């Protein structure tokens, strides 16, 4: 009985390892070749695992992509939450937003595979057969905008709740576009470090935010 339990534990551990190997290989290869360009045969060569192992853990290539995206999203936002712990209590909006964006850029650099695959899926229709994965893409984009809103709102908190909310709502999409452009530039090897883009993005967001607040104060009843 004791031997059977030991064997079962060993089998479960081996199964978990092989599943994780498949996920890691799929994330790595799909981020370069895309979903359509990644075959199960390619992944078999990458991992050295038999094809049967893939279908033991995932019922289809679409199911594998869904698991890859779910794991990537979880790791990405866990890293974001950790990076944004203990933000500065004081400082100007520029100092506070610069703190957030510098740390965000560092997370981007360490999660390149996930973000590269995410953008491929956003810009192509190649994964329409994997609706669960595409829902994850939509959820990640939505959560990313909420994160941007939070960073901007927190940075402008000293201007009052209503002003901070108005600036965050107005600039969340623009901030996301800045993230996207900075990451594409990083992937294209343009030669500019992402930290520099984050500093410039902070400058732009704060300048526009301060202009919006000045406009609100100058408006009748502002």
């Amino acid at each position: 009985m004791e031997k059977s339990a030991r064997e079962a534990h060993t089998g479960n551990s081996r199964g978990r390892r092989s599943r994780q190997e498949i996920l890691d290989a799929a994330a790595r290869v799909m981020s370069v070749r895309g979903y359509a360009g990644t075959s199960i045969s390619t992944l078999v060569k990458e991992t050295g695992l038999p094809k049967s192992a893939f279908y033991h853990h995932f019922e289809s290539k679409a199911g594998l992509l869904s698991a890859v995206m779910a794991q990537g999203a979880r790791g990405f936002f866990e890293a974001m939450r950790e990076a944004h712990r203990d933000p500065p209590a004081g400082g100007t909006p520029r100092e506070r937003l610069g703190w957030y964006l510098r740390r965000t850029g560092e997370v981007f650099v360490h999660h390149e595979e996930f973000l590269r695959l995410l953008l491929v899926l956003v810009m192509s229709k190649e994964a329409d057969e994997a609706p669960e994965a595409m829902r994850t893409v939509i959820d990640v984009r939505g959560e990313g905008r909420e994160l941007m809103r939070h960073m901007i709102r927190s940075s402008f908190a000293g201007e009052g709740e209503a002003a901070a909310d108005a600036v965050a709502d107005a600039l969340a999409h623009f901030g996301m576009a800045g993230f996207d452009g900075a990451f594409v530039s990083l992937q294209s090897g343009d030669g500019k470090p992402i930290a520099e883009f984050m500093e410039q993005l902070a400058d732009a967001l704060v300048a526009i935010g301060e202009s919006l607040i000045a406009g609100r104060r100058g408006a009748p009843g502002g």
Side-chain angles (χ1 to χ4, degrees):
M1 194 69 151
E2 191 175 317
K3 183 179 178 184
S4 297
R6 243 190 345 262
E7 288 172 346
H9 176 73
T10 301
N12 289 338
S13 297
R14 190 179 301 117
R16 283 193 295 271
R17 283 197 305 275
S18 66
R19 185 179 192 277
Q20 192 58 52
E21 283 177 40
I22 292 168
L23 284 171
D24 292 344
R28 184 171 63 253
V29 176
M30 287 180 181
S31 74
V32 174
R33 297 189 177 199
Y35 173 70
T38 300
S39 66
I40 296 298
S41 297
T42 299
L43 295 176
V44 165
K45 289 178 185 175
E46 282 285 318
T47 60
L49 295 169
K51 188 176 286 189
S52 59
F54 287 77
Y55 292 109
H56 172 72
H57 294 295
F58 308 99
E59 60 185 34
S60 64
K61 195 171 92 163
L64 173 57
L65 176 64
S66 298
V68 166
M69 293 305 295
Q71 173 179 266
R74 187 166 54 250
F76 177 71
F77 285 112
E78 283 175 359
M80 280 292 190
R81 284 189 291 272
E82 181 62 28
H84 292 167
R85 285 179 61 188
D86 303 320
T92 65
R94 175 61 181 81
E95 289 167 341
R96 289 172 62 81
L97 191 55
W99 183 91
Y100 277 115
L101 295 186
R102 279 192 297 276
R103 281 154 181 76
T104 297
E106 291 166 5
V107 173
F108 274 30
V109 169
H110 289 99
H111 289 264
E112 284 188 63
E113 284 181 359
F114 169 68
L115 294 172
R116 193 186 305 126
L117 179 56
L118 180 77
L119 284 180
V120 168
L121 296 177
V122 165
M123 294 186 292
S124 73
K125 299 289 185 183
E126 65 176 21
D128 283 352
E129 69 179 65
E132 189 175 336
M134 296 311 296
R135 278 195 297 274
T136 299
V137 170
I138 293 168
D139 289 345
V140 168
R141 298 294 292 176
E143 192 168 346
R145 278 189 293 275
E146 285 307 309
L147 179 62
M148 176 57 79
R149 280 193 183 92
H150 167 75
M151 289 189 284
I152 297 171
R153 188 184 298 115
S154 176
S155 299
F156 281 90
E159 302 295 331
E161 187 175 331
D165 283 342
V167 171
D169 289 342
L171 296 182
H173 281 78
F174 175 72
M176 280 286 286
F179 277 179
D180 292 341
F183 185 72
V184 169
S185 179
L186 176 69
Q187 294 302 297
S188 357
D190 289 344
K192 184 176 268 193
I194 200 163
E196 189 173 336
F197 281 117
M198 293 297 101
E199 292 298 323
Q200 292 174 335
L201 182 58
D203 287 340
L205 288 169
V206 169
I208 299 170
E210 289 175 343
S211 177
L212 290 171
I213 290 171
R216 283 169 57 87
R217 287 173 179 163

